[in-house]
Amino acid sequence: MSITAVTADSLPSDVPKLLSDGVNWGIFEICFSAAVRSKGKWPHFDGSELHLSPSPDNKATAIMDWDKAELSGYNLLLQWIPDSAAMKLCHYKTVVEAWAALTKEYMQKGSLRVKKEELASVGVDIDDKDYCSTICSTIISSLPPSLATYANFLLMATKLLSSLSPDATLLSGSSDIDPNTLIIVISEEYDCQRV
């Protein structure tokens, strides 16, 4: 067992950095949250420690201490996520808002990959092409009609694009769209339809 020196505003080096594709979200979330808890900063991530308002009961030093701990928590988060994710989080005013947004995005990105890895760990290997087409079909069959129609058109457009350009970035090595990308695009369309 090695001993790692850790300062107040850093985490141990054995906490994995979050990968931009979210493939390591599960282990990142476990290690990161445990390390942040050990620093006493988790209440800023889960919202259990609310910002102190100026009042006769709250001294200026208590408010400054809370603000300092909040900034330290934000700093810890930014050190362990990809730059692309950090850019998306920069407009959130609190750590709890940023953490919630990051969790939502990366749980969507990683959930299907995690399921495929779980199956592989028990000896069920699924070919990438079969996996993509099966998952996409399952996703579409579970959608309400307006989103199912949208998803079907998206899949047809992807297949058409793949026949014209084999290097299309939405593809997962076949003419099928990557299931994670499909979920993200459908979620965005759902949000647009709700507005």
Side-chain angles (χ1 to χ4, degrees):
M1 179 174 172
S2 64
I3 298 175
T4 306
V6 180
T7 63
D9 283 344
S10 68
L11 298 177
S13 61
D14 59 348
V15 174
K17 285 194 176 247
L18 179 60
L19 300 175
S20 60
D21 64 0
V23 71
N24 70 334
W25 168 255
I27 194 65
F28 166 79
E29 195 266 337
I30 291 167
C31 295
F32 181 83
S33 61
V36 169
R37 280 184 177 87
S38 74
K39 297 285 185 185
K41 307 277 190 232
W42 191 249
H44 290 271
F45 285 79
D46 70 5
S48 62
E49 188 169 312
L50 301 175
H51 189 271
L52 299 172
S53 304
S55 72
D57 297 336
N58 295 330
K59 298 185 176 175
T61 56
I63 294 171
M64 287 174 43
D65 288 345
W66 188 94
D67 287 342
K68 182 178 178 183
E70 177 77 0
L71 290 172
S72 176
Y74 223 133
N75 183 43
L76 290 173
L77 179 59
L78 293 176
Q79 289 175 30
W80 295 95
I81 62 175
D83 292 344
S84 58
M87 294 302 294
K88 291 178 185 177
L89 300 181
C90 69
H91 69 278
Y92 292 105
K93 301 225 183 293
T94 64
V95 173
V96 71
E97 292 171 343
W99 181 250
L102 185 76
T103 299
K104 180 181 176 185
E105 178 180 349
Y106 280 88
M107 283 189 75
Q108 285 178 341
K109 281 185 174 182
S111 61
L112 292 175
R113 285 191 185 97
V114 168
K115 290 296 179 197
K116 184 178 179 202
E117 289 173 10
E118 286 175 2
L119 289 170
S121 72
V122 294
V124 179
D125 290 322
I126 301 173
D127 177 276
D128 282 344
K129 183 176 180 170
D130 291 340
Y131 172 73
C132 289
S133 60
T134 302
I135 295 297
C136 288
S137 296
T138 304
I139 292 167
I140 292 171
S141 67
S142 67
L143 293 172
S146 65
L147 289 174
T149 301
Y150 174 79
N152 277 319
F153 280 124
L154 184 63
L155 289 175
M156 287 188 299
T158 302
K159 288 182 183 197
L160 178 62
L161 178 63
S162 72
S163 68
L164 300 173
S165 173
D167 297 328
T169 58
L170 291 176
L171 305 180
S172 56
S174 71
S175 61
D176 293 323
I177 191 170
D178 175 69
N180 294 305
T181 303
L182 181 62
I183 289 174
I184 291 167
V185 172
I186 291 170
S187 297
E188 290 171 356
E189 176 64 17
Y190 173 75
D191 291 341
C192 289
Q193 287 182 11
R194 284 186 20 198
V195 173

